[in-house]
């Protein structure tokens, strides 16, 4: 049986979107043409691949099997293109990175900057998610590399420890705990209003889950879209915030903030890089890992010097 790469790409896009309409758009097909291609594949394999639902489509067990193999086909093609790149011109590579909020707002920027300068023909597809979702996506083959916190299930993945980071509480210099040096999250939840990064960010969801597990909730005064803005709001006395120590170090006016060590164990977190076990990646992906390791090492050294 001969397989059409457009058909396989269509199925991958269906698996990513669970919508035939969106998958058709991503594959540059009209909806009738996409439907006809799905029907042709089902006739060729003599089994249903998709089930239509009110909210879109779902893959049948046979569809899931074909999706897994289709993703492997395109991964191998990416490896082929990457390995041949030194011998030709115009071939571009693509690397799918999944990262949580802390990584995207800290050392990952440096890693991306140095890597893309070295590999101008490689495109990066960066998706911010919470760590648990990242691990599941990498395990399912929906990303090439994942950057997660160490408190998630990474069973079945190849994992590389990067460094240990720390979440800290920041307050204004006029806050009642200014100069206290440390605080418990539960105590802050009882008495303070919070400034947070956007509600769907990985770190915000993580903190909401911690508070919920304590039987409490975060009284959120304002949401902003960067740690720089969070720190600025805190310095102005709008509320308190929980942020990575490295993001406080990057803030343009750190002298306006009071930093409190959080006494809860979850505030100390291992940073991990994970990939699907046994999966081949292009050579440029291995180089990207080296850039991440260097940037993470520098982040760790800077954070260590700040705590002294």
């Amino acid at each position: 049986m001969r397989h059409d790469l457009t058909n396989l790409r269509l199925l991958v896009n269906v698996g990513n979107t669970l919508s035939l309409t969106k998958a058709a758009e991503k594959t540059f097909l009209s909806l009738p043409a996409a439907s006809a291609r799905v029907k042709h594949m089902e006739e060729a394999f003599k089994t249903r691949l998709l089930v239509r639902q009110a909210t879109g489509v779902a893959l049948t067990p046979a569809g899931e099997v074909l999706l897994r193999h289709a993703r492997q086909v395109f991964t191998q093609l990416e490896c082929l293109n990457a390995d041949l790149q030194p011998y030709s011109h115009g071939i571009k590579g693509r690397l799918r990175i999944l990262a949580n909020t802390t990584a995207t707002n800290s050392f990952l920027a440096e890693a991306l900057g140095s890597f893309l300068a070295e590999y101008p023909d490689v495109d990066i597809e960066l998706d911010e998610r919470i760590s648990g979702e990242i691990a599941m996506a990498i395990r399912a083959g929906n990303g090439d590399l994942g950057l997660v916190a160490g408190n998630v299930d990474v069973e079945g993945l190849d994992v590389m420890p990067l460094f240990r980071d720390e979440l800290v509480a920041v307050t204004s210099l006029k806050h009642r705990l200014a100069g206290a040096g440390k605080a418990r999250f539960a105590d802050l939840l009882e008495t303070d209003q919070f400034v947070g990064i956007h509600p769907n960010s990985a770190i915000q969801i993580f903190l909401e889950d911690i508070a919920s597990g304590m039987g409490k909730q975060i009284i959120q005064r304002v949401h902003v879209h960067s740690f720089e803005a969070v720190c600025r709001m805190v310095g102005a006395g709008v509320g308190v915030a929980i942020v990575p120590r490295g993001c406080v170090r990057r803030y343009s006016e750190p002298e306006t903030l009071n930093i409190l060590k959080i006494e809860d164990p979850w505030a100390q977190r291992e940073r991990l890089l994970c990939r699907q076990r046994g999966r081949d990646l292009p050579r440029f992906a291995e180089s990207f890992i080296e850039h991440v390791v260097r940037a993470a090492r520098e982040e760790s050294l800077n954070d260590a010097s700040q705590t002294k």
Side-chain angles (χ1 to χ4, degrees):
M1 180 183 298
R2 299 180 64 182
H3 299 291
D4 187 302
L5 288 180
T6 301
N7 287 351
L8 295 181
R9 175 62 72 187
L10 174 63
L11 190 73
V12 169
N13 288 331
V14 168
N16 291 339
T17 65
L18 297 182
S19 166
L20 188 57
T21 301
K22 293 179 180 178
E25 293 175 356
K26 286 180 172 289
T27 319
F28 304 102
L29 297 170
S30 67
L31 183 57
S35 296
R37 283 179 175 273
V38 170
K39 183 178 179 181
H40 175 76
M41 284 190 287
E42 290 179 333
E43 290 175 349
F45 289 109
K46 296 182 174 58
T47 186
R48 291 287 298 277
L49 300 174
L50 304 181
V51 176
R52 294 185 181 274
Q53 298 178 329
T55 56
V57 296
L59 293 168
T60 65
E64 292 284 358
V65 170
L66 183 56
L67 174 63
R68 185 176 71 251
H69 285 283
R71 284 173 171 156
Q72 291 174 353
V73 166
F74 287 110
T75 296
Q76 289 298 319
L77 286 175
E78 288 177 3
C79 291
L80 170 65
N81 289 341
D83 288 346
L84 288 177
Q85 194 170 12
Y87 305 101
S88 66
H89 301 282
I91 298 177
K92 294 184 70 67
R94 183 170 66 99
L95 194 57
R96 295 170 298 169
I97 308 299
L98 306 179
N100 61 13
T101 311
T102 302
T104 57
N105 283 269
S106 57
F107 66 94
L108 184 56
E110 282 76 11
L112 287 172
S114 61
F115 172 78
L116 291 174
E118 184 177 343
Y119 290 87
D121 291 327
V122 176
D123 292 333
I124 297 291
E125 181 182 319
L126 178 61
D127 188 5
E128 182 182 303
R129 301 191 193 181
I130 61 175
S131 292
E133 290 181 2
I134 293 172
M136 289 189 292
I138 296 296
R139 195 177 291 115
N142 295 334
D144 298 316
L145 297 170
L147 292 161
V148 301
N151 55 350
V152 299
D153 178 15
V154 290
E155 180 68 27
L157 300 175
D158 286 333
V159 175
M160 174 185 294
L162 295 174
F163 69 100
R164 179 183 291 270
D165 80 342
E166 180 183 15
L167 293 176
V168 296
V170 288
T171 74
S172 71
L173 298 180
K174 296 180 180 180
H175 190 270
R176 61 185 175 82
L177 292 177
K182 59 184 179 181
R184 294 193 310 160
F185 188 45
D187 294 337
L188 295 174
L189 291 173
E190 290 286 351
T191 59
D192 288 277
Q193 293 180 317
F194 282 72
V195 178
I197 204 163
H198 55 93
N200 294 325
S201 68
I203 191 170
Q204 194 65 28
I205 294 171
F206 171 76
L207 293 173
E208 294 282 359
D209 288 344
I210 293 292
S212 178
M214 295 176 173
K216 302 178 184 294
Q217 64 178 8
I218 297 175
I219 301 175
Q220 202 72 42
R221 200 169 195 183
V222 64
H223 286 289
V224 291
H225 288 277
S226 70
F227 284 120
E228 175 78 12
V230 167
C231 292
R232 192 170 300 281
M233 291 287 181
V234 170
V238 175
V240 304
I242 307 296
V243 297
R245 183 178 288 276
C247 293
V248 181
R249 177 171 49 78
R250 284 180 171 81
Y251 178 46
S252 59
E253 301 178 21
E255 70 278 0
T256 65
L257 300 176
N258 176 59
I259 302 175
L260 299 172
K261 181 180 179 64
I262 300 174
E263 295 183 282
D264 305 74
W266 50 261
Q268 300 288 331
R269 307 184 302 170
E270 292 287 345
R271 313 306 301 169
L272 307 174
L273 185 145
C274 60
R275 59 193 287 182
Q276 193 176 49
R277 183 166 295 168
R279 178 178 176 179
D280 291 329
L281 291 176
R283 290 181 183 176
F284 59 75
E286 302 296 341
S287 178
F288 177 76
I289 292 174
E290 295 175 4
H291 283 262
V292 169
V293 170
R294 284 199 298 269
R297 184 182 301 116
E298 185 67 22
E299 181 83 1
S300 178
L301 292 173
N302 287 334
D303 283 353
S305 65
Q306 187 184 53
T307 58
K308 291 181 180 179

